[in-house]
């Protein structure tokens, strides 16, 4: 078990400034087949937040279960975040704004300590920029029911536990594909979110070692 001490946060921030694990780490949790770039959508940018906070003596983070809607990411589990808007001024502010809207967390209480390797999502033609933020206490979460069915909180220890790294077979784009996923309290985190978490997990292991 690892607690979220000041020293731990400093070590993590330091690791995020070093060369990142990058695409190789992302691909560990990529489906065997990824769809070619969509020509239906113009290229866009999105910002998402890996929010770290202490809870129950452990370092925890939060995911969102999206509502059902007419779109390629309907009902999926993802990190808080969304599309860049010009008024944001930066993708970091996009991630904080969207996380606030979706989870109710106080953006002013979050310190961004680094970012991960951008990840392109072919199916929606979006470049996703993941930021790592820390806060000193568990946020008073209140999710937005128009966008989020429910929130999923989990410790990094459980996310990194290989018992929760699984595969399943899915039909994707007309093909039967083996898909790796993180099993988080019965929720399947796969696709782009799993690829982002995979890279972040490699960085956490540098700091903490294998739990």
């Amino acid at each position: 078990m690892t607690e979220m001490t000041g020293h731990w946060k400093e070590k993590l921030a330091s690791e995020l400034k070093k060369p990142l694990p990058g695409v190789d780490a992302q691909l560990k949790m990529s489906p065997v087949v990824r769809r070619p770039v969509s020509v239906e959508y113009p290229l866009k940018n999105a910002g998402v937040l890996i929010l770290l906070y202490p809870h129950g003596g452990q370092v925890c983070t939060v995911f969102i279960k999206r509502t059902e809607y007419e779109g390629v990411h309907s009902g999926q589990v993802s990190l808080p975040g969304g599309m860049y808007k010009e008024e944001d001024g930066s993708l970091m502010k996009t991630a904080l704004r969207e996380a606030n809207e979706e989870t109710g967390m106080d953006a002013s209480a979050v310190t961004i300590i680094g970012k991960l390797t951008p990840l392109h999502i072919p199916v929606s033609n979006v470049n996703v920029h993941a930021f790592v933020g820390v806060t000193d206490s568990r946020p008073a979460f209140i999710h937005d029911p128009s966008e989020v069915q429910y929130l999923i909180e989990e410790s990094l220890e459980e996310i990194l536990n290989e018992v929760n790294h699984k595969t399943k077979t899915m039909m994707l784009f007309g093909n039967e594909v083996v898909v790796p996923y993180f099993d988080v309290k019965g929720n399947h985190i796969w696709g782009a979110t799993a690829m982002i978490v995979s890279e972040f997990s490699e960085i956490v292991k540098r700091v903490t070692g294998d739990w």
Side-chain angles (χ1 to χ4, degrees), residues 112-176:
I112 299 298
I113 61 172
K115 69 187 298 285
L116 303 183
T117 306
L119 175 67
H120 184 253
I121 304 179
V123 68
S124 52
N125 202 14
V126 173
N127 283 327
V128 180
H129 302 259
F131 295 85
V132 180
V134 296
T135 187
D136 291 333
S137 61
R138 179 183 176 274
F141 291 122
I142 303 176
H143 72 273
D144 178 1
S146 69
E147 295 189 63
V148 178
Q149 292 187 48
Y150 54 83
L151 303 179
I152 306 158
E153 297 182 71
E154 187 57 283
S155 68
L156 295 189
E157 182 174 356
E158 283 300 307
I159 293 170
L160 267 66
N161 189 334
E162 292 192 0
V163 170
N164 297 317
H165 302 177
K166 303 178 181 180
T167 60
K168 61 182 177 180
T169 302
M170 297 176 61
M171 290 299 296
L172 295 177
F173 321 119
N175 298 302
E176 191 174 82

Side-chain angles (χ1 to χ4, degrees), residues 20-197:
L20 298 170
V23 174
D24 288 345
Q26 293 173 343
L27 290 176
K28 290 180 180 180
M29 292 299 287
S30 173
V32 174
V33 176
R34 297 192 80 204
R35 183 176 175 174
V37 175
S38 172
V39 296
E40 300 175 39
Y41 307 101
L43 178 64
K44 295 183 179 180
N45 287 289
V48 301
L49 181 65
I50 299 176
L51 178 62
L52 305 177
Y53 55 91
H55 185 53
Q58 299 188 78
V59 183
C60 294
T61 193
V62 64
F63 300 92
I64 63 172
K65 170 74 171 178
R66 295 199 177 278
T67 54
E68 304 290 336
Y69 63 95
E70 292 295 327
V72 294
H73 303 299
S74 172
Q76 292 185 4
V77 177
S78 68
L79 291 161
M83 293 298 177
Y84 172 78
K85 295 181 179 179
E86 285 190 15
E87 54 265 35
D88 291 334
S90 71
L91 284 159
M92 182 184 77
K93 290 183 179 178
T94 298
L96 290 168
R97 173 183 57 77
E98 287 280 352
N100 167 258
E101 292 173 2
E102 293 170 341
T103 73
M105 67 89 187
D106 179 5
S108 68
V110 177
T111 300
I112 299 298
I113 61 172
K115 69 187 298 285
L116 303 183
T117 306
L119 175 67
H120 184 253
I121 304 179
V123 68
S124 52
N125 202 14
V126 173
N127 283 327
V128 180
H129 302 259
F131 295 85
V132 180
V134 296
T135 187
D136 291 333
S137 61
R138 179 183 176 274
F141 291 122
I142 303 176
H143 72 273
D144 178 1
S146 69
E147 295 189 63
V148 178
Q149 292 187 48
Y150 54 83
L151 303 179
I152 306 158
E153 297 182 71
E154 187 57 283
S155 68
L156 295 189
E157 182 174 356
E158 283 300 307
I159 293 170
L160 267 66
N161 189 334
E162 292 192 0
V163 170
N164 297 317
H165 302 177
K166 303 178 181 180
T167 60
K168 61 182 177 180
T169 302
M170 297 176 61
M171 290 299 296
L172 295 177
F173 321 119
N175 298 302
E176 191 174 82
V177 176
V178 175
V179 176
Y181 67 95
F182 293 97
D183 187 336
V184 178
K185 295 181 175 176
N187 297 277
H188 294 184
I189 298 176
W190 64 283
T193 301
M195 294 172 71
I196 291 168
V197 172

